[in-house]
Amino acid sequence: NQKLREFQAKFGVRRVGLKTGDVDVNAADADVVVMTTEILRNMLYPGAASGGDGGGKDASSDADYRLDDVGVVILDEVHYLADASRGTVWEETIIYLPPRIQLLCLSATVGNPDDLAGWIEEVHCAETAARCRTVVSDFRPVPLRWHFSMRPGRMWPGLGPLLNRRGDRMHADLRPFTKEGRREGFETSEDERWVNDDDDNFGRRDRGNRARGGSSYNSSFRGRGRGYRRGRDGGPTPSYAPSPRDRLENDRQAKRRLVPHVETVVGQLVAADLLPAVWFIFSRKGCDQAADYLCECGASLVTGKERKKIQEALAAFQLANPDAVRPEAIEPLLLGIASHHAGLLPGWKGLVEALFQRGLLKVVFATETLAAGVNMPARSSVLSTLSKRGDSGPRSLTSNEFMQMAGRAGRRGYDTVGHVVCLQSPFEGPEEAFFLVTSPPENLRSRFSVSYGMVLNLVKSGSDLATVRATVERSFGNYLGGRARRDQTRELRRLREQRDALQEQIAAGASEVEPEEWARFTKLDGRLKEERRLLKTVARQTLESRAEGARKAIGEWQTLGEDFVFVEVFVDDGESVEMSREKSSQTRRSPPAPVTVGLAPDGSWISPSSVSTNASNDAPEKNALPVNERLNDLFHDDDDDDDDAREDGESPDLDEPARSAVNERAATKTVAVVDRYDPVTVANGAFASNPFPLGEFLGVDIAGDWVRFTADRVSAVTHRENAGKGAFSELAADARRDVEETADEKKQLASLVLSAPTETSTKWRRLGDGLWSAAGAETSVFSASRAFETFQRSPSDSAMEKEREASLQPLFDGAEELESFLRTQRALVQKTRDEIAEMKSFSDLRRAVKMHRRREEKLKKLNERVEKAEKRVGEYVAAGWSEFTRVVDILIEEGAIFDVLLDEEAESCEKEARERAVKHAEETAKKNASRSTRAANEKEKEKSDFWDDPYSFGSETESFFDWEPDGATPETFAQASSRFSLENAEEVLSDSDVDSAADSYSAPTPAPFIDEALVSADARRSRRRARWHAGDERLSETLLLTPLGETCAKLRGENELWLGAALSSERVIGLSPERVAGVAGALCCDSNRPTSCVYGPSEELETVLESLEPYGSEIASLQFENNMDAPVNLSKPVAALVEAWAAGSSWDQVRGDTNLDEGDIARVFRRTAELLAQVPRARTIPAETRRAAAKAATLVLRPPITDLT
C-alpha cells in the first residue's frame, strides 16, 4: 500500500496498480503493478514446467497471459529468500520466471551476492546466454553513527559512542561494563551506590538534570568518576577490590541494574537532538505498554502546532474509518507517541505511518515487522534488546536482522547522519552490540521446500516426470551443494593422482641401493623386528608378573598384621633403559653453538666473526666455517635427528619396557610401606585403563622422605623376622620386643600416615614412570628411624649383607628363567643390529628405509583422505526430488492424483502387507503362549515343592497363601458348585475325577490379533517402493490430476490438499453463506496463535466441522508418516467469529468476544475472504457451494478489514 501511494504520486494514479490476495486496484491496465511475491508465483505456476517460455502463449493452455508484455520484475528485499516460512516462494519465482523477462533483485543484507548471481544466471539466463551482473556498493547516502545507552552513573553519562574514532573497536569508556572489565573490578563503590538508588530518586535526578537544561550526552565526558584512577601500567585501577562472592553477584546483576528506563532514554534522545526515533521492541504488548508508560510520565514531544495537525488527521481518519479508531491510543498519539505492530488494524497502522512520515510523531514503538516491509525512515533507531524469542527459545539477533532495523535510521534529504542507539538490556551489553555492528552480512541459505500447490501445478502442466524433476532440482540449495560437490570432486581427483604417484614410487623401491643389499637388509630387518617383538612381549609379561607378585606379597604381610612391609624399589631404569638409549646418545648431534648472521645487499650471508677478521687481517681464519655451513648446522631438521637416533630405522613401538628385568645396573632403595591407594574405577565399577595414575603404594625411606610408587617398581619384599640378623641381632630383637610391648606403636603408625603429603600435594616430585618422592617432616623422620631400627645394617659387614640377600623372597616363580631368556634375547637383538651396521651401504640403506617408511605413512594418510572424499561425493544427492515424491504419495493416497501403479500391483502390495501382518501376529501369539506356559509350569513347580515339604516356611508358603487360579474351566466351576451346594452333596466328584477332567480340557486357541492400521501403513510403504524404486523408468511417465486434484490446484494456502478436500465435502453443500464463511475461517486460522471465543459456532456449522475432523486427522497422519510439515487447521472459535462477522455483527462486538488482537482478527478475516474468493474459480467444486462462497466473500471483506478503506 505504501509503494502504491508513492508510485501514484510519482507516475500518476492510472499508471500504477496493486494486486494482493484480496485487493485488485487497476492491476490489469497499469504500467507498474505492485504485488506480493506469492501472487507472482501463482501467476507463474501454469508454465512452470513447460520447458520453454513460461509466459508465452504456447507454454500451457492455462498460462497467465498477463505476463506477456512484462519487461522487468523487481524483487525488493530479496534476502527474504532465506526466510524459513516464505523463502521457498522467492526461489520458485526466480525459477519459474521466463528468461525473456529481466530480473532485478535488491537487498542491503546479502553476504554472498556472487553465489546468488551465479544461481540466477544458471536458472534464469541459461537459454539467453546472458550474464547476471552483481552491483555491490557500501556507500550509504546517510551514514550511520552508533551509540550505546544505559542507566547514567559516574562512569557513564547515559548515552555515548559505541565505537572509537576509527570505528574499528569498542569505545574505551565502555570497557568497565564488559565481562572482562567486571572481572577486573572496574565498578567503584560510589558507582555501585549510584546504580542501586531507588527508582524514584533516579527519576527525580534525571528529570532535574533535564529541567536545568543539562544534557545527558556530553561528548567531552569520558566516564571517569572519583573512584576511577590510573595504575602504574596506565590501566584503570578500582578504588576497592570486591570479594569473589561480590564479583559473582555483580556478574549476575550488573546488566540488569544498568538497564535504562524508557523516559530516561527519551530524555537522552531529546537532549542529543536524535528525534524522531523508531524504537524496536520485540513484543506487541511491550510496544503498547511503553507508549502508555511514556504518556503517563507526561512526556509531550510535539509543539502546539504539531498537536493541532495530529488532531485534524485523527478527525479525518475517524470520519472515514469509525471502527478502526483505537480510543486507548489517542492520548499518546496527541503527544507524538505511537505503537506499530501486527496486532493493529491496517487502517490505524496506515495513519501512524502517514503521521510519522510527516514528522508529527516523534517516537514510534514498533516490532521488527516495521523494519521488514514499511519505509519509515527516522533520524535514529533504538533497539531495546539484541535478542528475540524464536521457535526453539530465546536467540540472538542475526547480523541481517540487526542491520535491517538499524537501516531505518537516517532520512535522505533531511539528515546528514543517521543514529543507531543500542540499549543495555538484562541479557546483552556493549559487547553484544559491538559484535553485531562489526559482523558482516549473513550468507543466504536456501529454504526451498515442496508444497501441495507446487506439486499439483507442476503435474497440471502436463510435463513428464523427468522435466518436473529437472525443475524441482533447480533450487538455490542444490546450486550451492552442486558447487561444493564439484569442489570435492576436484579434490578427490587430486588426491587420487598423488596416491597413484606415491604407489609407483614405493613399487620402484630404492634406486640408490643395490638389489642384493636391499634384499639382505630387508631380511635382517624382518628378523630384527621379530626378535624385538618377542623381547618386548616377554619383558612386558615379566614386568606384569613382578608387579602382581609384589602386590600379593605386600598384601600377605599386611594381612598378617605387619605395620611396616620393607621392599626394595627401583630408583632408576637400569640396563634395560640404558641399552635402548645407548646408540641414541652416540648418534644424536649436540646442539650447535649460537650463530649471529646477516644478509648483505648482494644477497650473501655475513657474520660478525668474518667482519672482524677481515678488519684485522686481509685473510680469513683457516679453521673458520663458511656461514652457509654454520646455518645448516643451526637449522637442521629435527625429524632427521629423531630418525638418526635409531640407525636401522627400527620402530620405537618395539622398545623393551623399562624395569622389565632385575639386573646389576639397576639401583634400588629400601622403603617401608605404610599405606596403599585404591584403584581408580569408571562409572560401571570396572577398573580404569590406568588404575593407579598417582601410584599404588605409599612408603617412607630410612631418611624419612616419602616415596610413592607402583607395583612394577618393586624388585623384592624382605622378611620382617629375618631382617637385622648378624652382629646386631640381639640388639634388634630387644628393640623389636620393646616396640611390640609399647602401646604407642599403633599411634606412631597413624601419625606417620597422617603426616604424609596428600596425593595431589605440590610436594611430590616425579622421579620416573610410577615413582614420586617428597621431603618428610620431623614426624616422619622420627617414625622412620624407629621403624628402621630392626632393619639397619652396616655396609662393611659382609655377613649382614649375605643374610639380607638371603631374606629377599622371590616375587614369582620362574623369575630366574625369564631373566636368562631376556639376557639371551637382548644379545640376539644386539647381534642383528651389528650385522646391519656392518653392511657396506648402511648409510644409504638407512636413508632408503626412512624414505620408504615415510612414503608408506603418507600413502596411508592419502588413502584415508581419498576414502573420506569418495564418501562425501557419493553421499551427495540433489535435494527436492525425494520430498517431491513423498508429497505425490500423499496426494495419490488421498485421491488427488491418479496412481501410476496398476490395480494388480496395488493389490499385490496390499496382499503382501497382510501376509506379513498375519505372520507377525502368529509369531507374537506363539511367543506369548510359550511365555504363559513357562510361567504356569513355574507356578506348578512351586506348589509341588510346597507339598513335598509342608513344614518349610518362607517365600513359598507366602506365595501359596496368596495364590489364585490363573484361569477357570467348566469342570472346576461344576466341582465348586457341587462341593459347596447342600442340595448336591451326594454327587460330589472325587479329586481324581476332577484332575482328569481338568487335564482333558484344552482352552480354544484365540485368533491372532491383526492391527489394520499397521497393515494399511505397511501397504502404503510397499506401494511407495513399487512406484519410485524402479530406477528412472517412471521419469518418462506423466501424472494426471483427479477432480479433487484439480480443485486443490486452484486454491492457494498453507495446505491446499486440506483446503480442497474440506471445501469439496458433501457436507458443505447447501450451507448458507454465513456457514460457508465459518468453514473457510476454521480452515484459515493461525496455528501459532491460540484462539478463544465466548461463544461457539451454530449447531449446523459445528456438525459440519465435526464431520471434517476424521478426514483432517487422516491427512495429518499421512503427513507425519511421509515427513511433511503442513498445518491441518480446523478451529471452532475462529469459525464462530467469522460466522458472527459474516452475519452482520459489529466490529466492537467481535473484537470483544475473543482474545485475539485487532490485527490478528483482521488477518484471519482477510485470509478467509481470500480463500472464499478463490472458490468460484474451482469449477470442480459444486456450483451451490461456489455461489455461497462468492457471497460470503463480500460479507467478510468489509470495513475495517480492507486495507484501502
Side-chain angles (χ1 to χ4, degrees):
N1 294 334
Q2 189 180 66
K3 285 296 179 185
L4 175 66
R5 291 191 289 266
E6 291 179 2
F7 287 173
Q8 284 180 340
K10 186 175 184 64
F11 303 111
V13 176
R14 295 185 178 181
R15 300 189 62 185
V16 182
L18 177 69
K19 178 67 177 176
T20 63
D22 53 358
V23 178
D24 189 330
V25 178
N26 195 28
D29 302 327
D31 296 332
V32 178
V33 181
V34 182
M35 64 176 61
T36 60
T37 316
E38 284 78 3
I39 296 297
L40 179 58
R41 188 272 312 267
N42 297 339
M43 295 171 63
L44 295 170
Y45 261 146
S50 62
D53 192 345
K57 296 184 178 181
D58 57 345
S60 174
S61 58
D62 297 328
D64 197 326
Y65 299 119
R66 289 174 292 181
L67 297 174
D68 289 349
D69 55 351
V70 173
V72 179
V73 169
I74 301 175
L75 295 180
D76 195 10
E77 309 291 353
V78 74
H79 56 264
Y80 261 101
L81 185 141
D83 185 73
S85 59
R86 298 183 60 200
T88 185
V89 178
W90 295 73
E91 287 196 51
E92 289 183 70
T93 302
I94 297 175
I95 293 173
Y96 303 152
L97 195 66
R100 60 175 179 79
I101 299 179
Q102 186 177 358
L103 186 62
L104 176 61
C105 302
L106 306 176
S107 178
T109 52
V110 175
N112 52 342
D114 293 334
D115 291 339
L116 181 60
W119 173 65
I120 292 175
E121 187 174 308
E122 183 176 290
V123 301
H124 183 68
C125 308
E127 297 182 8
T128 60
R131 300 296 300 273
C132 182
R133 295 176 55 191
T134 304
V135 182
V136 180
S137 174
D138 57 359
F139 172 75
R140 184 179 176 87
V142 183
L144 297 179
R145 184 173 296 171
W146 307 91
H147 309 269
F148 193 81
S149 174
M150 65 178 70
R151 197 169 183 177
R154 295 186 179 276
M155 298 182 66
W156 186 251
L159 181 66
L162 177 63
L163 306 179
N164 60 4
R165 292 180 181 273
R166 291 178 297 181
D168 56 351
R169 292 189 179 184
M170 187 190 306
H171 200 278
D173 290 347
L174 286 172
R175 178 175 171 79
F177 307 100
T178 61
K179 294 180 181 179
E180 184 177 356
R182 286 192 296 271
R183 283 197 299 267
E184 295 176 358
F186 271 99
E187 294 175 345
T188 63
S189 56
E190 291 190 34
D191 192 67
E192 290 290 325
R193 287 195 297 270
W194 172 258
V195 298
N196 278 314
D197 283 342
D198 57 88
D199 295 343
D200 294 338
N201 291 337
F202 177 84
R204 287 197 296 270
R205 292 186 185 186
D206 188 74
R207 286 193 291 271
N209 182 45
R210 294 201 307 269
R212 291 190 298 269
S215 173
S216 298
Y217 182 25
N218 185 0
S219 59
S220 62
F221 185 80
R222 294 307 177 191
R224 301 188 181 105
R226 286 175 293 177
Y228 187 92
R229 64 178 183 270
R230 290 285 176 181
R232 295 181 179 178
D233 57 350
T237 303
S239 59
Y240 79 105
S243 64
R245 184 175 180 179
D246 294 338
R247 189 173 297 143
L248 178 61
E249 187 67 19
N250 290 343
D251 287 340
R252 292 178 178 177
Q253 299 183 3
K255 290 183 179 180
R256 187 176 299 276
R257 288 187 277 105
L258 295 174
V259 176
H261 287 202
V262 175
E263 75 275 13
T264 303
V265 178
V266 172
Q268 295 170 356
L269 297 177
V270 171
D273 192 20
L274 298 183
L275 295 182
V278 176
W279 191 314
F280 290 99
I281 301 176
F282 302 110
S283 168
R284 300 180 184 179
K285 187 176 181 181
C287 293
D288 295 335
Q289 289 179 344
D292 295 339
Y293 178 75
L294 196 57
C295 179
E296 293 175 0
C297 293
S300 180
L301 306 178
V302 295
T303 63
K305 186 181 296 185
E306 291 173 337
R307 182 185 180 93
K308 185 177 181 180
K309 292 181 179 179
I310 294 175
Q311 291 176 341
E312 293 175 354
L314 185 61
F317 178 81
Q318 188 171 4
L319 183 63
N321 305 276
D323 293 333
V325 176
R326 298 185 67 204
E328 65 275 10
I330 293 179
E331 184 179 358
L333 197 70
L334 296 176
L335 298 177
I337 307 165
S339 60
H340 186 287
H341 52 76
L344 304 177
L345 284 175
W348 183 263
K349 289 194 295 184
L351 174 65
V352 172
E353 295 166 9
L355 293 176
F356 190 83
Q357 290 176 348
R358 293 172 57 185
L360 300 178
L361 297 182
K362 305 304 179 182
V363 176
V364 173
F365 298 95
T367 58
E368 59 179 334
T369 55
L370 185 144
V374 180
N375 183 22
M376 282 182 57
R379 175 168 295 179
S380 61
S381 295
V382 182
L383 285 83
S384 61
T385 181
L386 302 179
S387 62
K388 58 180 292 188
R389 181 171 295 277
D391 296 335
S392 58
R395 65 171 180 84
S396 299
L397 294 177
T398 65
S399 59
N400 288 5
E401 294 171 338
F402 178 79
M403 293 305 300
Q404 283 292 323
M405 289 180 283
R408 300 299 99 185
R411 298 169 296 177
R412 184 179 301 186
Y414 292 91
D415 303 321
T416 57
V417 176
H419 302 270
V420 182
V421 181
C422 300
L423 303 185
Q424 173 74 48
S425 73
F427 312 104
E428 300 90 20
E431 292 172 295
E432 291 78 8
F434 175 75
F435 174 77
L436 287 175
V437 170
T438 56
S439 296
E442 288 186 323
N443 292 341
L444 291 185
R445 295 184 301 167
S446 176
R447 298 291 186 175
F448 187 81
S449 61
V450 180
S451 63
Y452 291 118
M454 177 195 299
V455 173
L456 292 169
N457 283 277
L458 291 177
V459 171
K460 187 179 179 181
S461 65
S463 303
D464 55 28
L465 290 177
T467 305
V468 172
R469 179 172 184 173
T471 303
V472 171
E473 292 181 349
R474 298 169 68 190
S475 67
F476 183 48
N478 280 340
Y479 171 79
L480 296 177
R483 190 184 61 177
R485 183 176 184 270
R486 289 191 293 271
D487 295 341
Q488 289 296 326
T489 304
R490 287 194 296 269
E491 177 67 12
L492 177 59
R493 188 185 308 113
R494 186 182 65 84
L495 292 175
R496 284 175 175 172
E497 292 175 355
Q498 292 182 1
R499 182 189 62 180
D500 296 341
L502 195 58
Q503 287 177 343
E504 293 178 0
Q505 295 177 3
I506 294 175
S511 59
E512 66 275 8
V513 181
E514 296 179 3
E516 295 79 7
E517 290 291 315
W518 178 257
R520 184 185 173 210
F521 176 81
T522 305
K523 182 178 179 180
L524 290 175
D525 184 65
R527 187 175 73 183
L528 178 62
K529 286 182 180 179
E530 183 62 25
E531 291 172 349
R532 292 182 63 207
R533 186 192 63 79
L534 182 58
L535 175 62
K536 180 180 179 180
T537 302
V538 177
R540 184 185 295 111
Q541 293 175 356
T542 303
L543 194 65
E544 293 174 354
S545 300
R546 190 169 69 240
E548 187 62 30
R551 295 190 188 98
K552 183 178 179 181
I554 295 174
E556 289 176 354
W557 285 110
Q558 290 179 340
T559 304
L560 294 176
E562 288 290 338
D563 298 328
F564 301 100
V565 180
F566 296 94
V567 298
E568 298 293 326
V569 178
F570 287 117
V571 294
D572 63 21
D573 294 339
E575 182 183 3
S576 60
V577 176
E578 291 183 17
M579 291 181 63
S580 63
R581 307 300 182 193
E582 185 175 356
K583 287 191 175 289
S584 298
S585 62
Q586 294 175 359
T587 58
R588 186 176 296 274
R589 280 184 283 186
S590 59
V595 179
T596 303
V597 297
L599 184 64
D602 59 354
S604 61
W605 293 97
I606 58 175
S607 65
S609 59
S610 61
V611 173
S612 60
T613 301
N614 294 333
S616 60
N617 302 316
D618 295 337
E621 296 181 7
K622 296 181 179 180
N623 297 330
L625 291 175
V627 177
N628 292 338
E629 294 186 13
R630 300 177 67 185
L631 287 176
N632 291 336
D633 292 337
L634 181 63
F635 300 109
H636 65 271
D637 190 358
D638 294 337
D639 295 337
D640 293 341
D641 287 346
D642 294 338
D643 293 334
D644 293 340
R646 197 167 300 280
E647 297 179 357
D648 53 2
E650 300 172 17
S651 173
D653 296 336
L654 298 178
D655 285 341
E656 179 185 357
R659 307 177 308 281
S660 59
V662 180
N663 52 75
E664 295 80 1
R665 301 184 61 180
T668 61
K669 179 169 62 174
T670 305
V671 176
V673 179
V674 298
D675 196 7
R676 67 188 305 168
Y677 299 117
D678 296 328
V680 178
T681 59
V682 292
N684 56 2
F687 290 138
S689 58
N690 183 16
F692 302 102
L694 299 178
E696 189 172 354
F697 298 103
L698 176 66
V700 62
D701 61 8
I702 192 171
D705 293 333
W706 292 99
V707 180
R708 194 173 67 193
F709 55 93
T710 54
D712 56 2
R713 281 277 177 178
V714 179
S715 65
V717 179
T718 305
H719 287 280
R720 171 72 178 263
E721 59 271 16
N722 295 330
K725 289 185 177 181
F728 302 95
S729 59
E730 296 180 358
L731 179 62
D734 295 338
R736 184 168 63 253
R737 282 194 300 270
D738 294 339
V739 173
E740 291 174 353
E741 293 173 359
T742 302
D744 297 339
E745 185 178 17
K746 297 294 182 181
K747 296 181 179 180
Q748 174 187 347
L749 177 62
S751 62
L752 180 62
V753 174
L754 292 176
S755 64
T758 60
E759 295 183 43
T760 57
S761 174
T762 57
K763 295 181 179 180
W764 291 106
R765 294 293 181 267
R766 185 174 180 273
L767 303 180
D769 293 340
L771 182 64
W772 295 263
S773 176
E778 295 181 1
T779 305
S780 62
V781 173
F782 174 76
S783 301
S785 63
R786 293 289 304 275
F788 275 85
E789 284 180 359
T790 59
F791 195 80
Q792 191 173 11
R793 67 189 189 280
S794 174
S796 61
D797 194 337
S798 59
M800 287 185 61
E801 183 70 19
K802 293 180 180 179
E803 289 183 1
R804 177 181 173 275
E805 292 178 358
S807 69
L808 296 176
Q809 73 177 39
L811 296 179
F812 64 96
D813 297 334
E816 296 181 358
E817 291 81 357
L818 284 176
E819 266 305 307
S820 176
F821 176 82
L822 288 174
R823 283 193 292 268
T824 304
Q825 193 66 23
R826 291 193 195 103
L828 291 175
V829 170
Q830 188 61 35
K831 181 181 178 181
T832 306
R833 284 176 174 168
D834 294 340
E835 290 184 21
I836 294 176
E838 292 174 356
M839 296 180 68
K840 63 178 182 179
S841 302
F842 176 69
S843 58
D844 296 337
L845 288 169
R846 185 178 61 180
R847 285 192 297 268
V849 168
K850 289 190 293 184
M851 183 61 66
H852 181 77
R853 289 183 176 171
R854 286 179 179 177
R855 289 171 179 172
E856 287 182 342
E857 289 293 327
K858 187 175 181 180
L859 179 62
K860 182 180 178 181
K861 294 180 180 179
L862 277 176
N863 285 328
E864 294 177 355
R865 295 177 62 184
V866 167
E867 291 178 1
K868 291 181 180 179
E870 289 176 346
K871 184 178 180 181
R872 293 183 63 180
V873 172
E875 289 177 349
Y876 174 80
V877 178
W881 180 245
S882 176
E883 188 178 359
F884 182 88
T885 56
R886 291 198 301 268
V887 176
V888 170
D889 287 333
I890 299 175
L891 293 172
I892 290 177
E893 296 296 337
E894 292 299 324
I897 296 179
F898 288 106
D899 200 345
V900 295
L901 294 178
L902 300 178
D903 294 340
E904 294 80 4
E905 295 176 316
E907 292 175 0
S908 176
C909 294
E910 185 77 25
K911 182 179 178 181
E912 293 175 359
R914 185 164 296 278
E915 290 176 353
R916 286 192 294 268
V918 172
K919 182 179 179 180
H920 178 73
E922 291 176 351
E923 292 176 355
T924 304
K926 289 180 181 180
K927 292 180 181 179
N928 294 336
S930 176
R931 192 179 297 109
S932 301
T933 303
R934 191 162 53 251
N937 293 337
E938 292 176 356
K939 285 193 175 183
E940 187 66 26
K941 184 176 183 303
E942 292 175 0
K943 289 190 293 181
S944 62
D945 293 343
F946 170 78
W947 289 114
D948 292 341
D949 188 7
Y951 298 102
S952 60
F953 299 97
S955 60
E956 294 83 358
T957 307
E958 296 173 359
S959 62
F960 171 76
F961 288 113
D962 294 337
W963 176 82
E964 293 182 359
D966 293 334
T969 63
E971 288 77 11
T972 57
F973 281 115
Q975 176 202 12
S977 61
S978 61
R979 190 182 293 271
F980 297 103
S981 175
L982 297 177
E983 298 177 356
N984 301 326
E986 60 273 33
E987 299 179 1
V988 174
L989 298 176
S990 64
D991 292 342
S992 60
D993 296 337
V994 173
D995 293 339
S996 60
D999 294 338
S1000 62
Y1001 173 78
S1002 60
T1005 304
F1009 173 74
I1010 299 177
D1011 192 342
E1012 294 297 332
L1014 295 179
V1015 174
S1016 300
D1018 191 15
R1020 287 194 295 269
R1021 288 192 292 268
S1022 299
R1023 289 193 291 269
R1024 173 177 174 79
R1025 288 192 295 269
R1027 289 190 196 107
W1028 309 113
H1029 289 196
D1032 297 336
E1033 298 177 0
R1034 300 287 184 191
L1035 296 181
S1036 60
E1037 299 182 8
T1038 302
L1039 300 178
L1040 298 177
L1041 297 181
T1042 64
L1044 175 59
E1046 295 284 350
T1047 300
C1048 298
K1050 289 291 184 180
L1051 302 177
R1052 302 289 180 266
E1054 295 179 320
N1055 192 327
E1056 292 84 354
L1057 175 61
W1058 171 232
L1059 297 179
L1063 294 175
S1064 301
S1065 174
E1066 296 180 355
R1067 302 301 301 268
V1068 182
I1069 302 176
L1071 293 180
S1072 64
E1074 294 81 6
R1075 309 291 185 271
V1076 173
V1079 173
L1083 301 176
C1084 295
C1085 67
D1086 189 354
S1087 57
N1088 296 324
R1089 198 168 294 276
T1091 306
S1092 63
C1093 185
V1094 296
Y1095 46 81
S1098 61
E1099 184 177 353
E1100 182 182 9
L1101 178 57
E1102 186 173 7
T1103 302
V1104 173
L1105 296 179
E1106 291 177 353
S1107 66
L1108 296 177
E1109 288 179 355
Y1111 197 34
S1113 300
E1114 180 182 344
I1115 294 177
S1117 177
L1118 277 175
Q1119 291 182 170
F1120 179 79
E1121 182 180 326
N1122 288 274
N1123 195 23
M1124 182 184 180
D1125 185 17
V1128 182
N1129 299 323
L1130 191 67
S1131 174
K1132 291 183 179 180
V1134 174
L1137 281 177
V1138 175
E1139 183 184 21
W1141 176 252
S1145 297
S1146 65
W1147 177 253
D1148 291 337
Q1149 179 181 352
V1150 169
R1151 68 178 181 178
D1153 295 339
T1154 180
N1155 66 320
L1156 295 178
D1157 293 333
E1158 291 180 333
D1160 298 326
I1161 301 174
R1163 195 173 300 106
V1164 171
F1165 287 179
R1166 281 162 44 198
R1167 289 179 180 176
T1168 302
E1170 182 179 349
L1171 176 60
L1172 292 171
Q1174 298 174 19
V1175 173
R1177 297 196 294 266
R1179 299 299 179 182
T1180 51
I1181 295 180
E1184 188 175 355
T1185 303
R1186 285 189 278 118
R1187 289 192 296 269
K1191 186 175 181 180
T1194 60
L1195 296 177
V1196 174
L1197 196 61
R1198 59 187 175 93
I1201 304 305
T1202 55
D1203 286 343
L1204 301 179
T1205 55

